[in-house]
Amino acid sequence: MYFDREKFSNVNRKSVLTPEMKAIWDDMGLGVAVVNADGICEYMNPIQQRIDGFSSLPVVGEHITNLYVPHELECIPTMECLRKGEPLLKKSYFYKTTKNYLAGTVSDFFPLFDHGRLDGVIAFTIWTGTTSLAEHRTGSARASGAKAARFEYYTFDSLVGEDEALHEVIDEARAASQASSHVMIWGESGTGKELVAQAIHAASTRSEHPLVPVNCAAIPENLLEGILFGTAKGAFTDASDKPGLFEEADGGTLLLDELNSMPMGLQAKLLRVLQEKRVRRLGSRTEVPVDIRVISILNVDPLNAVEQELLRRDLFYRLAVVGIAVPPLRDRRTDIPLLARTFIDRSEHVRTSGPIDIADHVLKVFSEYAWPGNIRELQHVIEGSLALLGEGNLIEERCLPRHFREACAASPALQPASSISLHRKAAEPVVSAANYFDYQGVRKSSVIPLKNCVQEYEAQCIRNVLRVTGGNVAKAARILEITGAGLRYKIRQLGIEDED
């Protein structure tokens, strides 16, 4: 293929990573990644991170060979594009990431140039299928007639915590693992729902068969049906005979993550497969029997999802035979020190200066913070703190990631109790509920109207999100889950513009 380098001579990293372009990449249904001329990742959009299992791993600043297997430069298409300085278009790949995700994709790689000098690569990816490493090993072993290698899933012993609420979840999940019924798990993002799902599979009689995960939110709607049910040759242009994830999970477990993101029409087809225990590939006239257990995961309460028409009521009854609600971290605060200690001990940071501890005032902040990102956020804070620790062995305020300190600064519950520097301009001190009461009863002189409390809290939340988005109101509105017009009204109503 002829490539006109002159035409692209000034399409460089700077031009594709402007705030405006990144806002587009962030919301695309395609995976997008950008690396520099040295192979260092400078951007990866949320879809690409979910495709490759990097949602809980900081990828920016990592060399491409640290993210994908094999590590040899010549085997990675991004590096091939850099080496040749020419596009690689409509390439079908099947690869493994360092997080043990196996991904099938169709990708386009475009070299970037700055005044004719090679500046990096931008890649666009369509997801065609991802399975766990266990499924790949099992399938390979079956094909060769050998015994499948056992993949080490998370087990119930891997779940860290002593809180009573967590132990209730573990007890319910243990009981569910011994039955064959479908299981529905729900809870906020970052609470460890997939870990519970893996533990159920690992303790079940299906553990020798594959656990096949699929993220219903990470796959474009027009591809999801073929990925789940498979395709027959001639179903559409270039279609081939290919089994879907239902067939690949035969005998094992199909893990449907973010089920509430699945289109309603596809939910009806899913319901039929579960009822009939047979699946028909797209374009085929025959049905294939399947023996699977479905573990579904939702990041919202399922009854709310039903009321909001995000989940079919009949599918809910079919899949929620056993229902498990995983509590948020703020409801099991006594586990925070133990979890923080666990993340430190499991860290890949090489330390030679002895054990690492957490300062008491930092633990106090951890115990009072709301943790909207739950356990995943705590893990990221610990990882960031270790990265900033230097040669020391005590995590103090200076080690905490900047975004975490700013979030603490905007949290009424942490003012003025926390020792975290708030970095706010002079203003009226924020009054929390703790300021209004003492052991003798209500201090009436301290009480202010509830409406004022609500407005102050709203203003703090909006300021914090605007700070994170760099003042981008449209993006802030999406994060806050309100309309752009509604957010602008709130900004005017609360006088936020006048204060900035």
Side-chain angles (χ1 to χ4, degrees):
M1 181 194 74
Y2 172 72
F3 175 59
D4 187 354
R5 178 177 294 193
E6 190 67 26
K7 183 178 179 181
F8 293 89
S9 61
N10 282 319
V11 181
N12 52 35
R13 284 180 292 125
K14 184 177 180 180
S15 65
V16 301
L17 290 180
T18 63
E20 295 78 9
M21 293 304 297
K22 288 172 71 173
I24 294 175
W25 305 144
D26 286 346
D27 291 338
M28 284 190 69
L30 302 176
V32 181
V34 177
V35 302
N36 65 17
D38 296 322
I40 304 296
C41 180
E42 294 198 347
Y43 173 79
M44 186 178 290
N45 73 344
I47 287 290
Q48 187 67 52
Q49 292 186 46
R50 290 200 291 266
I51 288 172
D52 293 336
F54 292 147
S55 295
S56 60
L57 180 71
V59 295
V60 174
E62 290 287 335
H63 196 278
I64 203 75
T65 54
N66 294 333
L67 301 175
Y68 299 95
V69 181
H71 300 289
E72 292 81 2
L73 295 176
E74 61 273 11
C75 297
I76 297 177
T78 306
M79 300 307 296
E80 180 183 354
C81 184
L82 278 175
R83 187 169 60 251
K84 294 181 177 179
E86 295 181 354
L88 301 175
L89 303 179
K90 298 180 177 61
K91 299 293 184 180
S92 178
Y93 295 99
F94 188 74
Y95 58 86
K96 181 164 78 77
T97 74
T98 52
K99 296 293 288 182
N100 279 342
Y101 269 60
L102 291 173
T105 64
V106 176
S107 304
D108 293 323
F109 299 85
F110 292 91
L112 303 171
F113 297 94
D114 187 5
H115 295 89
R117 179 178 58 85
L118 189 62
D119 190 44
V121 167
I122 183 169
F124 300 93
T125 298
I126 296 176
W127 191 93
T128 61
T130 296
T131 63
S132 66
L133 181 58
E135 188 278 331
H136 177 68
R137 286 177 174 170
T138 305
S140 299
R142 271 202 295 253
S144 62
K147 184 177 180 179
R150 174 70 179 266
F151 178 71
E152 295 299 325
Y153 295 109
Y154 282 97
T155 65
F156 291 115
D157 292 336
S158 306
L159 303 178
V160 177
E162 300 175 351
D163 187 89
E164 183 179 348
L166 176 67
H167 280 278
E168 288 181 3
V169 168
I170 292 176
D171 290 343
E172 292 173 355
R174 283 187 190 277
S177 68
Q178 300 308 304
S180 58
S181 303
H182 302 310
V183 179
M184 180 174 287
I185 305 172
W186 62 89
E188 298 177 9
S189 295
T191 51
K193 301 184 293 296
E194 186 169 349
L195 272 62
V196 175
Q198 287 194 25
I200 291 173
H201 175 78
S204 73
T205 57
R206 297 176 179 266
S207 60
E208 297 297 329
H209 296 278
L211 170 66
V212 179
V214 54
N215 190 314
C216 301
I219 309 169
E221 180 178 345
N222 59 332
L223 296 178
L224 184 56
E225 184 174 1
I227 289 168
L228 283 174
F229 303 132
T231 57
K233 188 174 182 179
F236 51 83
T237 304
D238 296 331
S240 59
D241 287 318
K242 185 178 180 180
L245 297 186
F246 272 99
E247 291 181 61
E248 292 181 4
D250 188 33
T253 304
L254 181 64
L255 177 59
L256 296 176
D257 196 3
E258 298 192 50
L259 176 65
N260 49 297
S261 297
M262 180 181 288
M264 296 293 278
L266 197 53
Q267 290 185 29
K269 296 180 180 180
L270 172 62
L271 179 65
R272 184 181 183 280
V273 172
L274 297 175
Q275 290 174 336
E276 303 296 331
K277 297 184 180 180
R278 304 177 70 84
V279 63
R280 177 183 295 177
R281 297 182 186 180
L282 289 180
S284 175
R285 296 183 178 180
T286 60
E287 293 184 332
V288 179
V290 288
D291 172 26
I292 61 166
R293 178 192 213 177
V294 173
I295 300 179
S296 54
I297 294 177
L298 289 82
N299 53 18
V300 296
D301 184 281
L303 291 178
N304 288 342
V306 170
E307 292 300 321
Q308 296 171 18
E309 297 185 349
L310 299 175
L311 178 67
R312 288 177 60 101
R313 188 177 297 274
D314 47 6
L315 184 61
F316 165 69
Y317 293 139
R318 174 67 64 175
L319 290 181
V321 179
V322 177
I324 298 175
V326 181
L329 185 56
R330 62 181 175 274
D331 288 348
R332 40 181 292 225
R333 294 180 184 275
T334 56
D335 284 339
I336 291 175
L338 177 59
L339 287 165
R341 181 77 259 166
T342 301
F343 292 140
I344 291 174
D345 294 340
R346 292 177 180 176
S347 170
E348 297 178 356
H349 289 258
V350 178
R351 297 291 173 180
T352 58
S353 57
I356 298 170
D357 293 318
I358 305 175
D360 289 342
H361 66 274
V362 172
L363 281 176
K364 188 174 188 299
V365 171
F366 283 0
S367 67
E368 296 173 349
Y369 181 61
W371 297 108
N374 293 295
I375 298 173
R376 184 181 294 124
E377 183 182 7
L378 174 61
Q379 183 179 11
H380 286 177
V381 169
I382 294 297
E383 290 179 0
S385 300
L386 292 174
L388 298 173
L389 187 58
E391 298 300 323
N393 57 6
L394 182 66
I395 296 177
E396 299 184 277
E397 173 188 334
R398 64 174 179 80
C399 304
L400 298 175
R402 180 177 298 276
H403 67 83
F404 179 73
R405 283 181 279 156
E406 291 179 349
C408 290
S411 174
L414 290 175
Q415 303 175 32
S418 166
S419 63
I420 296 297
S421 300
L422 302 183
H423 305 296
R424 296 163 59 102
K425 58 187 176 179
E428 286 292 323
V430 177
V431 185
S432 68
N435 298 123
Y436 305 151
F437 301 88
D438 59 17
Y439 295 109
Q440 304 304 318
V442 178
R443 296 201 302 261
K444 294 182 179 178
S445 60
S446 300
V447 176
I448 62 175
L450 179 62
K451 179 181 178 181
N452 293 0
C453 296
V454 173
Q455 289 178 342
E456 175 63 21
Y457 182 70
E458 282 186 340
Q460 288 174 358
C461 291
I462 293 172
R463 288 191 196 100
N464 189 43
V465 174
L466 286 173
R467 187 185 302 116
V468 172
T469 63
N472 188 318
V473 175
K475 195 168 186 178
R478 289 196 296 271
I479 294 173
L480 293 168
E481 297 185 358
I482 62 176
T483 65
L487 179 56
R488 291 185 180 90
Y489 172 77
K490 285 285 187 184
I491 290 173
R492 291 193 301 271
Q493 180 191 41
L494 300 171
I496 296 174
E497 288 179 320
D498 296 335
E499 296 179 10
D500 291 340

